[in-house]
Amino acid sequence: MDSLNIIIPVIATNYSELDIYAWNSNANKPYFSIIGDQGGACICGNDKERYMVLEIPESEFTFESMHRFSVIPHEMFHAYQMSISKTFYDGDFRIKCLSEGTAASFESIYVKQHYSYNYFKFDQNMVDLEVLTSPRIFENYDSIGDVNYSTSVFMILVLVKELRKKNISEQKAFELVFRSFFKKNPSNVNWKNIFEEVFSISVDNFYSSISNYSNDIETVLPSGDLNLLDIFQLSSENYVINVTSPDSDDYILNDIDTNGVVEGRDSKITVKLGDKLTFEVDAFGHPFYLKNKQGLGTNDLVAGADNNGIESGTVTWVPQSKGTFFTNVPYIMVCTVKFLLNKNIKSQSNGISF
Ligand SMILES: [Zn+2]
């Protein structure tokens, strides 16, 4: 719990408390008087409150199953989803491949990082062939062919691969999937719009891309040294900066960054690693370039910026590394990294299970 609390601090935003009932299955329902017959592992509840249940089967201790550990980060990830997303807490977002695929991918990365065991490869390898042709089946919690959420996990890993094709780092791709998407409060009604907004891929296009893969988890595994802290310490703000140009010497920048107001000629912008910069450019005759090196002209452009070099319109860019970057005037941007603080807050409750 201490290490999870550093990675995904669960904050009681949408509830005030989340009790945890955990026991070895051989203990015969020790919390029967409080939670009744509820067993297994879930975020579940009754009409009064919501709680986490972790009944660990005795056989998992006997046979040293990795699941006796992995189930804890899985359920804690659901608590995190509830803390950052009101719609998730309210049960208004019930898209299995995204809700469970993320929790089960998180659990596997956690296990790899802490126990050097590839849970993806050994325990989430039963990817259903049907995902290649009918992925939308797995939106539904009642869909079969998703043993230990293998198929939902496969879909999440494919989504990360597709994001990486758009010049997004692996860490940032997981950050978008694990956090940014849920922070936008997707519901069963609007989730496809939010999906496209966050990932810049429509759900339909994502589903068609899955047919280019084979249903083999080993073809979509993340890097072996992927670290959850690197993912979650990424910030995920979108800063919108207005850019005008009174002459061909300077740009006027307006709006806010991490330090507050940005204003005036060629001012400096500071953001955190993981943040997105959206420049609304209105600089007729003075194309706006984002560059790695200072200087006029169109050399040394940054990687991954959309519409770099336009005179009018929107330039978007997520810096992939720390550094100082420039435009085609002596204006400077600094990209710093934020260190995640350890928060320790308990989280409350109602009748739904994940
Ligand atoms: Zn789950």
Side-chain angles (χ1 to χ4, degrees):
M1 288 300 178
D2 286 344
S3 63
L4 281 165
N5 219 12
I6 292 168
I7 304 165
I8 47 166
V10 174
I11 298 165
T13 11
N14 300 309
Y15 48 97
S16 62
E17 171 175 282
L18 186 79
D19 289 332
I20 299 174
Y21 298 94
W23 68 95
N24 181 326
S25 66
N26 70 4
N28 195 26
K29 304 271 157 73
Y31 301 106
F32 187 86
S33 64
I34 310 167
I35 59 170
D37 205 28
Q38 182 67 56
C42 59
I43 304 285
C44 27
N46 51 35
D47 53 350
K48 289 199 240 30
E49 61 167 357
R50 202 176 291 178
Y51 40 76
M52 183 185 297
V53 172
L54 295 167
E55 179 192 32
I56 313 290
E58 187 181 15
S59 61
E60 293 187 0
F61 292 105
T62 309
F63 299 107
E64 299 190 341
S65 163
M66 195 51 72
H67 186 262
R68 74 198 192 281
F69 299 132
S70 76
V71 68
I72 298 170
H74 181 108
E75 296 304 332
M76 280 297 284
F77 186 78
H78 285 318
Y80 178 71
Q81 288 168 309
M82 295 196 303
S83 83
I84 61 172
S85 170
K86 183 165 183 350
T87 48
F88 192 91
Y89 174 75
D90 288 340
D92 290 338
F93 179 71
R94 301 277 293 160
I95 305 299
K96 184 179 73 166
C97 49
L98 290 168
S99 297
E100 295 298 343
T102 48
S105 299
F106 178 89
E107 109 184 66
S108 290
I109 299 170
Y110 186 91
V111 164
K112 184 78 172 57
Q113 191 177 324
H114 290 268
Y115 301 97
S116 300
Y117 175 90
N118 199 325
Y119 197 79
F120 286 118
K121 187 171 161 181
F122 299 119
D123 300 80
Q124 293 170 331
N125 56 2
M126 286 160 286
V127 181
D128 195 296
L129 181 61
E130 212 163 14
V131 72
L132 305 182
T133 49
S134 311
R136 61 174 43 79
I137 293 174
F138 301 96
E139 292 171 10
N140 193 319
Y141 264 82
D142 296 329
S143 55
I144 53 170
D146 200 10
V147 178
N148 204 21
Y149 298 127
S150 297
T151 309
S152 294
V153 165
F154 173 80
M155 291 171 75
I156 293 297
L157 297 183
V158 168
L159 177 56
V160 166
K161 295 281 178 211
E162 291 299 307
L163 290 170
R164 296 208 62 197
K165 289 180 187 168
K166 300 163 85 68
N167 220 337
I168 293 173
S169 72
E170 185 174 41
Q171 287 84 355
K172 183 62 186 174
F174 275 104
E175 191 282 328
L176 293 173
V177 173
F178 285 154
R179 182 172 61 191
S180 290
F181 177 73
F182 289 98
K183 275 178 87 172
K184 294 263 180 193
N185 275 314
S187 72
N188 294 332
V189 177
N190 69 7
W191 73 274
K192 290 187 177 177
N193 296 335
I194 290 179
F195 187 102
E196 187 161 359
E197 183 188 332
V198 173
F199 304 126
S200 302
I201 304 173
S202 70
V203 173
D204 284 346
N205 285 344
F206 167 55
Y207 284 169
S208 343
S209 74
I210 296 177
S211 63
N212 301 323
Y213 292 77
S214 60
N215 63 320
D216 177 357
I217 200 82
E218 294 205 34
T219 62
V220 291
L221 292 175
S223 307
D225 57 356
L226 185 66
N227 184 306
L228 290 167
L229 265 179
D230 292 341
I231 295 170
F232 284 90
Q233 75 178 5
L234 287 174
S235 185
S236 61
E237 298 296 324
N238 178 21
Y239 290 105
V240 181
I241 310 282
N242 293 308
V243 179
T244 53
S245 181
D247 46 52
S248 59
D249 295 329
D250 300 303
Y251 294 109
I252 303 263
L253 305 170
N254 276 301
D255 236 297
I256 57 161
D257 66 1
T258 52
N259 293 334
V261 175
V262 171
E263 207 168 34
R265 283 183 180 247
D266 305 334
S267 43
K268 187 164 91 174
I269 297 172
T270 305
V271 299
K272 291 170 184 161
L273 198 58
D275 289 340
K276 180 177 183 178
L277 285 159
T278 301
F279 295 97
E280 297 293 356
V281 182
D282 179 9
F284 185 71
H286 193 185
F288 181 77
Y289 287 98
L290 298 173
K291 300 168 52 126
N292 291 312
K293 289 185 183 161
Q294 196 161 4
L296 296 171
T298 60
N299 296 326
D300 307 311
L301 299 185
V302 300
D306 284 341
N307 295 328
N308 204 359
I310 58 171
E311 297 176 11
S312 174
T314 305
V315 178
T316 55
W317 183 45
V318 179
Q320 299 296 305
S321 61
K322 287 187 274 182
T324 303
F325 306 92
F326 307 87
T327 64
N328 41 325
V329 291
Y331 128 79
I332 297 170
M333 279 194 300
V334 180
C335 189
T336 59
V337 69
K338 173 193 177 195
F339 192 72
L340 191 80
L341 296 172
N342 185 359
K343 298 197 182 94
N344 190 5
I345 303 169
K346 267 187 95 185
S347 23
Q348 160 191 301
S349 32
N350 177 322
I352 223 142
S353 65
F354 306 106

